[in-house]
Amino acid sequence: MKTLIKNATVILPGGAAETSVLIEGSSIAAIDVAVQTAVDNVIDATGMHLLPGVIDDQVHFREPGLTHKEDLAHASRACAKGGVTSFLEMPNTLPNTVTQTALNEKLKLAGSRSLVNYGFYIGATTENIEVLKHAERTPGIKIFIGSSTGDLLVDEQDALEKIFADTTLPICAHCEDETTVRANAEKFAGSTDVAVHSRVRDHQAAFIATQRAIDLAVRHNHPFHVLHVSTADEIELIAAGGDLISAEVCPHHLLFNIDDYKRLGSLVKMNPSIKTRLDNEKLWQALLDGVITVIATDHAPHTIEEKQLPYPACPSGLPAVENSLALMLDRISQGLCTIEQVVKWMSSEPARVWGIQNKGKIEVGCDADLTLVDMTLKQVILNEKQETKCRWSPWHGTELTGWPIATWVMGHQVFRQLEGQSEFDHSRMGHELRFVNRGLRDR
Ligand code: DOR
């Protein structure tokens, strides 16, 4: 099967070019304005931009075990609609992904249910060091240094030292200091004001845990990725950490702050918590400065009924995977960044950090994971149009300029938007991602 995407502005590793892209099977076969070959399918993309598909390295898709909130079929459709062609999913499902068997089981499920490409982290416990040492078919190890949704937690120094010392896979962590969070929670016990969440999970909690994790990584010479940075204070730590350290920020930590509790209540209750307007600004600047290099969503759906429980019972987490690219394209239309930067943050850097080969860039021979976007299209995010199973968005009612309108996964078109309607092709599933793990390669 050959598809020609003609006359797009294509975001190549060296910059934008008006050209055409030939897909043959699952790969990019040519990038040439004058392709002369018989094809099965021609897409006239004049006026559109063609980007490498987004790689979201932090999502919670809830399968198995929590499928009343989300499942792989809904979540991967949401990905396709949002221009996300690959995801890396977190281990706090039921059962937790803390054994090779549980990880293999998830891979098997995804093989028959996920429209887009998939990978799954192996979760750390205080007892599964042998599993972590020998884990296969995974991008890396996830540690909850502070607890969040679910019961995964590794807080003891000895256990952390052992994981950083004895394993070779890259490590990423949820960094909020458990002791600080527990002490704060006691201080605010009895309060039903959701805004208190940002005082329980405060700046100090994030700083202490990120400092502790980076110290472990540097001492043990271990590649380490700081998930969902939420404070300005952590930026210095990341910058000082050197080449072993990478970091990401989520749209909600860039776009929401404590003022938004008034309007959105528990819909913006997240771990790490949302912080201040100043943190929003400094985190954005850290992206522009290249200290933080990845944008990921931490897509963490809960049902609206669960979210409406009074604080503190309402769970932490919000869905974002189908709107993250559009939220960033809108920043381009506001003149706040360039399309090349968005491609770096959402495609090429996640591919580099996790050693995902042949993805994250548009180059001959790479996988044809592609997203066509209309930078002039204005659309409003509406709960009733969400593909995520929980069917709500904290950005409900927000108009954005710039939207994905078509998505290819391994050369197969899985999504297109026609006159405002989403169309999906479920005839082929995504592929298991392969990793050249930095840890294994370098040590
Ligand atoms: O707010 C959050 N929700 N943060 C996390 O780290 C986990 C997530 C979830 O799984 O619900």
Side-chain angles (χ1 to χ4, degrees):
M1 175 84 172
K2 290 185 186 176
T3 299
L4 183 64
I5 305 173
K6 267 179 75 172
N7 301 329
T9 302
V10 184
I11 310 304
L12 301 168
E18 310 289 318
T19 188
S20 299
V21 171
L22 177 67
I23 303 173
E24 203 172 323
S26 60
S27 308
I28 297 168
I31 301 168
D32 181 353
V33 75
V35 172
Q36 298 293 337
T37 184
V39 296
D40 304 286
N41 196 6
V42 178
I43 312 271
D44 180 6
T46 308
M48 305 293 139
H49 288 72
L50 189 67
L51 322 181
V54 169
I55 300 172
D56 191 332
D57 80 5
Q58 193 190 176
V59 300
H60 301 265
F61 284 173
R62 310 299 195 205
E63 191 165 354
L66 296 161
T67 51
H68 67 287
K69 297 173 192 277
E70 184 67 288
D71 59 32
L72 288 163
H74 284 86
S76 68
R77 254 198 315 276
C79 284
K81 180 180 160 204
V84 177
T85 52
S86 298
F87 65 80
L88 302 181
E89 207 255 1
M90 287 295 161
N92 57 337
T93 40
L94 281 180
N96 289 323
T97 320
V98 295
T99 62
Q100 187 68 45
T101 310
L103 194 133
N104 292 350
E105 190 54 38
K106 267 191 175 177
L107 288 164
K108 195 162 150 221
L109 280 174
S112 63
R113 296 184 194 179
S114 178
L115 270 192
V116 303
N117 306 315
Y118 47 87
F120 298 96
Y121 294 97
I122 187 91
T125 72
T126 48
E127 270 135 39
N128 73 344
I129 188 74
E130 289 305 315
V131 174
L132 302 182
K133 275 160 72 174
H134 304 293
E136 293 171 347
R137 301 171 75 190
T138 181
I141 298 166
K142 162 72 182 282
I143 312 178
F144 282 88
I145 292 181
S147 59
S148 186
T149 303
D151 59 2
L152 285 173
L153 173 67
V154 183
D155 188 30
E156 297 86 3
Q157 192 64 22
D158 284 356
L160 289 169
E161 295 282 351
K162 218 169 166 38
I163 296 170
F164 276 86
D166 293 354
T167 67
T168 54
L169 285 166
I171 297 175
C172 61
H174 181 114
C175 296
E176 285 184 295
D177 182 56
E178 192 66 13
T179 310
T180 308
V181 170
R182 283 188 191 170
N184 288 340
E186 252 175 58
K187 227 184 324 181
F188 292 102
S191 174
T192 53
D193 176 5
V194 67
V196 153
H197 190 64
S198 292
R199 302 177 73 185
V200 171
R201 292 179 177 262
D202 62 2
H203 285 75
Q204 191 65 4
F207 184 85
I208 293 171
T210 297
Q211 187 173 44
R212 187 178 180 198
I214 290 178
D215 170 64
L216 281 157
V218 170
R219 277 193 291 107
H220 293 290
N221 191 30
H222 202 123
F224 178 66
H225 184 69
V226 189
L227 297 166
H228 44 40
V229 179
S230 65
T231 72
D233 313 344
E234 290 162 278
I235 297 166
E236 285 289 298
L237 297 172
I238 294 158
D243 287 349
L244 282 172
I245 310 300
S246 56
E248 75 187 30
V249 64
C250 302
H252 53 271
H253 289 130
L254 293 168
L255 300 170
F256 292 132
N257 58 61
I258 49 176
D259 298 339
D260 290 301
Y261 283 122
K262 281 198 266 331
R263 193 169 54 91
L264 295 164
S266 60
L267 296 186
V268 287
K269 177 175 181 261
M270 283 296 294
N271 302 336
S273 66
I274 52 169
K275 304 291 192 310
T276 67
R277 183 174 295 276
L278 186 64
D279 292 296
N280 297 150
E281 287 165 11
K282 296 269 175 147
L283 290 169
W284 183 252
Q285 192 58 47
L287 271 176
L288 296 176
D289 293 344
V291 177
I292 296 176
T293 62
V294 173
I295 293 177
T297 61
D298 194 8
H299 177 90
H302 300 279
T303 66
I304 198 70
E305 292 77 19
E306 290 167 331
K307 289 295 275 184
Q308 281 164 353
L309 290 168
Y311 181 81
C314 50
S316 296
L318 55 81
V321 90
E322 68 197 274
N323 300 308
S324 57
L325 177 59
L327 286 162
M328 292 305 131
L329 298 179
D330 187 71
R331 309 273 285 177
I332 300 170
S333 80
Q334 293 176 45
L336 297 173
C337 60
T338 66
I339 199 159
E340 288 82 0
Q341 284 171 316
V342 170
V343 165
K344 173 184 154 199
W345 300 330
M346 302 187 82
S347 300
S348 57
E349 271 293 296
R352 184 192 68 77
V353 166
W354 295 107
I356 304 171
Q357 300 299 290
N358 274 337
K359 296 193 186 292
K361 56 186 180 221
I362 300 181
E363 224 171 60
V364 172
C366 280
D367 293 337
D369 290 344
L370 299 166
T371 299
L372 192 64
V373 305
D374 180 347
M375 292 300 293
T376 63
L377 183 62
K378 288 183 195 301
Q379 278 180 177
V380 179
I381 297 174
L382 294 172
N383 289 342
E384 55 274 27
K385 292 226 164 178
Q386 301 303 292
E387 294 295 330
T388 172
K389 195 168 181 185
C390 71
R391 294 206 90 198
W392 61 272
S393 167
W395 289 283
H396 172 74
T398 304
E399 186 183 74
L400 302 175
T401 304
W403 281 89
I405 55 162
T407 305
W408 288 262
V409 174
M410 299 298 280
H412 179 66
Q413 188 169 2
V414 290
F415 164 77
R416 68 175 174 170
Q417 189 188 117
L418 256 191
E419 290 158 15
Q421 296 306 312
S422 296
E423 286 183 8
F424 300 93
D425 182 339
H426 297 92
S427 64
R428 274 208 266 153
M429 295 292 110
H431 289 209
E432 177 179 343
L433 293 168
R434 308 276 167 197
F435 310 97
V436 176
N437 293 121
R438 279 185 299 158
L440 292 173
R441 197 183 53 204
D442 294 344
R443 288 155 66 97

